[in-house]
């Protein structure tokens, strides 16, 4: 499994969608549920971090344009 930090944002979102589909299916093994939840939590945290960093960068760039 690829470390979360090595995934692109799009890859992380795609993996999250896949995890969600697995968790919603009747085929989700209860023994895998904890591992899937852990991975999803890591992916969400990484995506959130990247979104916040991008937002801050965009705000800084826009502020520079207003000078």
């Amino acid at each position: 499994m690829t470390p979360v930090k090595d995934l692109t944002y799009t890859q992380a979102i795609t993996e999250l969608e896949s995890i969600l589909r697995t968790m919603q299916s009747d085929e989700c093994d209860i023994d895998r549920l904890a591992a899937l939840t852990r991975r999803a939590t890591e992916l969400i945290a990484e995506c959130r971090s990247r979104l916040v960093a991008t937002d801050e960068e965009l705000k800084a760039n826009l502020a520079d344009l207003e000078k």
Side-chain angles (χ1 to χ4, degrees):
M1 187 175 304
T2 304
V4 172
K5 295 276 185 193
D6 293 342
L7 296 173
T8 66
Y9 181 83
T10 301
Q11 289 171 324
I13 292 295
T14 300
E15 186 174 341
L16 272 169
E17 290 169 345
S18 174
I19 289 171
L20 181 58
R21 280 190 303 276
T22 300
M23 292 172 90
Q24 291 175 331
S25 77
D26 293 335
E27 300 167 9
C28 184
D29 183 351
I30 193 72
D31 295 325
R32 289 185 55 212
L33 190 57
L36 290 171
T37 303
R38 208 171 19 257
R39 179 68 174 184
T41 301
E42 292 171 6
L43 290 163
I44 291 168
E46 180 64 23
C47 288
R48 180 178 291 143
S49 174
R50 291 183 192 185
L51 287 170
V52 168
T54 299
D55 182 55
E56 290 171 358
E57 184 179 343
L58 289 172
K59 286 178 182 175
N61 289 339
L62 291 173
D64 286 346
L65 288 174
E66 292 177 1
K67 291 180 181 178

